[in-house]
Amino acid sequence: MSPKRPTLADVATAANVSTAAVSRVLNNSPGVAPQTREHVQRVIAQLGYRPDPVARALAFGHGSVVELVVVDDAAVFGDSPYYGRVTAGILQELAGGEAQLRVHVVDESGAAALLAKIADTVSVGVILINVAPELAATFHARCERVVSMGPSAPGVPFVDMENADGAYAAVVHLHETGRRRIAALHGQESNPCAEARREGFRRAVRDLGLADISAVGKFRREAGYELTLRLLAEEADVDAFFVGCDLMATGVMQALADTDRRVPEDVAVVGFDDSVIAVCTTPPLSSVRQPVETMAAAATRALVNRQLAPYWRRVFPAVLQVRRSSAEADRPGVVAAGRREGADRPTGAGVAISPGSRVGTAAADDPRRR
């Protein structure tokens, strides 16, 4: 049986002061003599007392709140379809309940201070995006009610998709349509999802005996445009691009148009995310679907229902949505497996790449149990 967690009353008794005095010390409020404050702080340390974050949140009027912490530029948060889809998934799951969503967008320099502040008042829990693994681990040590969108530090719960499998399938699809000089634009190396997609691409070109033609940049339209121009200057015979996200892919398609290359007749393009962008480009963009709303809802559900444990995870399958941008090189009207566009297949139909989603818990996923 685990030892009883010390309470505020236990601290008050051990320090021989009132619970109100202990509360004022914890909240750094006035009304306590300096020597008494130091004495209470020593007792708190000796007992290992940690305030109940739910009780503190309610006491401060925060109520039931899911905190979404995004480390990125505020302007990018507003422009990126990914963040909108995450927010939509969380709100869909919270609809009809009492919990509310609070969104924090912060740059890297302010992330540690923000998370330290949230750890003291968290109620329902926290969803992390782009938080550095070491920072996520520190936060998880203070607050177990946390889920990362994408893999993070060992033990930190997360939701994810089969990124590597999705990238692999995209390259195989391009190869099957006759492409042999397939280039890739990857996301930044600090992003675990981008790294997994890079691994899937490299595995595919290795298995297919193709050259590894690639570049790395941020998941931005501007990066896609600039990197494409650079690659085409070095590798003029590239006939396909696998791009780490749809937003970056729009920059690729713009660069191809500006260099008089037709999509898909001259160069095919496959993106990743299958966001609303994919059906708004000309031609419509083939893309590996990332079920962002479903993933965010699953993370929220796990917080609300208190289903989390160290090493908890949920991983969703990748689905390749084949559209006009990756039609076969010699027969542009054919989009996949010998089917002409619009024939026997509804718009946006995809091919499942991996089996159904998996739920993992500490017992199944703790590497120490393997």
Side-chain angles (χ1 to χ4, degrees):
M1 181 180 296
S2 60
K4 177 186 174 184
R5 178 176 176 174
T7 66
L8 186 141
D10 294 331
V11 174
T13 299
N16 195 28
V17 298
S18 67
T19 55
V22 175
S23 180
R24 284 194 289 271
V25 171
L26 289 170
N27 297 322
N28 199 28
S29 302
V32 181
Q35 61 270 29
T36 302
R37 185 181 300 275
E38 293 177 2
H39 173 60
V40 172
Q41 289 172 339
R42 285 195 297 271
V43 172
I44 289 173
Q46 291 168 359
L47 295 181
Y49 172 72
R50 293 173 58 187
D52 183 339
V54 174
R56 285 175 63 83
L58 293 173
F60 281 96
H62 295 165
S64 297
V65 176
V66 172
E67 313 277 359
L68 173 62
V69 177
V70 179
V71 178
D72 210 332
D73 297 332
V76 174
F77 180 86
D79 290 342
S80 173
Y82 174 79
Y83 295 130
R85 295 176 66 189
V86 170
T87 303
I90 296 172
L91 292 175
Q92 288 168 13
E93 187 62 30
L94 294 179
E98 296 181 356
Q100 297 179 333
L101 171 65
R102 180 183 291 120
V103 180
H104 309 264
V105 182
V106 63
D107 59 23
E108 292 183 12
S109 63
L114 173 64
L115 288 171
K117 180 179 179 181
I118 291 175
D120 290 334
T121 58
V122 65
S123 58
V124 177
V126 183
I127 296 175
L128 305 178
I129 301 179
N130 298 338
V131 173
E134 60 274 14
L135 199 55
T138 300
F139 183 83
H140 185 238
R142 295 185 60 183
C143 175
E144 295 181 347
R145 292 187 298 283
V146 59
V147 182
S148 173
M149 293 292 291
S152 186
V156 176
F158 69 90
V159 294
D160 197 19
M161 65 166 290
E162 299 287 3
N163 285 287
D165 286 353
Y168 188 96
V171 177
V172 169
H173 162 67
L174 289 168
H175 187 266
E176 289 177 343
T177 62
R179 313 294 172 164
R180 295 297 180 267
R181 297 286 290 168
I182 304 172
L185 299 189
H186 304 297
Q188 54 267 44
E189 295 180 355
S190 60
N191 185 312
C193 297
E195 291 177 1
R197 294 167 199 175
R198 183 182 304 111
E199 188 277 328
F201 171 81
R202 289 176 174 169
R203 178 160 51 92
V205 297
R206 183 174 62 248
D207 291 350
L208 296 170
L210 304 177
D212 184 346
I213 308 169
S214 59
V216 176
K218 292 186 176 182
F219 284 151
R220 309 282 191 269
R221 182 195 61 79
E222 297 82 2
Y225 183 84
E226 294 168 3
L227 292 174
T228 300
L229 293 180
R230 188 186 311 167
L231 274 179
L232 291 176
E234 300 169 355
E235 307 282 351
D237 60 345
V238 164
D239 59 9
F241 277 91
F242 165 67
V243 192
C245 84
D246 291 347
L247 191 59
M248 186 183 262
T250 63
V252 173
M253 296 176 77
Q254 181 182 353
L256 292 172
D258 286 352
T259 55
D260 295 325
R261 288 171 170 86
R262 300 168 300 168
V263 178
E265 290 84 357
D266 300 320
V267 182
V269 181
V270 175
F272 208 108
D273 286 338
D274 197 35
S275 63
V276 66
I277 290 175
V279 295
C280 293
T281 59
T282 303
L285 177 67
S286 295
S287 184
V288 179
R289 177 158 185 78
Q290 180 172 203
V292 178
E293 294 88 347
T294 304
M295 293 164 62
T300 307
R301 192 178 312 117
L303 290 171
V304 172
N305 296 337
R306 296 182 177 269
Q307 298 171 335
L308 298 177
Y311 296 93
W312 180 96
R313 65 182 180 183
R314 184 161 185 185
V315 181
F316 293 83
V319 177
L320 175 61
Q321 303 284 356
V322 179
R323 299 190 178 91
R324 183 80 171 84
S325 71
S326 62
E328 290 189 34
D330 57 341
R331 288 184 296 160
V334 182
V335 295
R339 293 178 183 268
R340 292 193 174 275
E341 185 175 19
D344 301 323
R345 173 180 290 190
T347 301
V351 180
I353 307 308
S354 61
S357 62
R358 302 194 306 273
V359 177
T361 61
D365 300 318
D366 187 339
R368 297 168 296 185
R369 298 176 182 265
R370 293 177 181 169

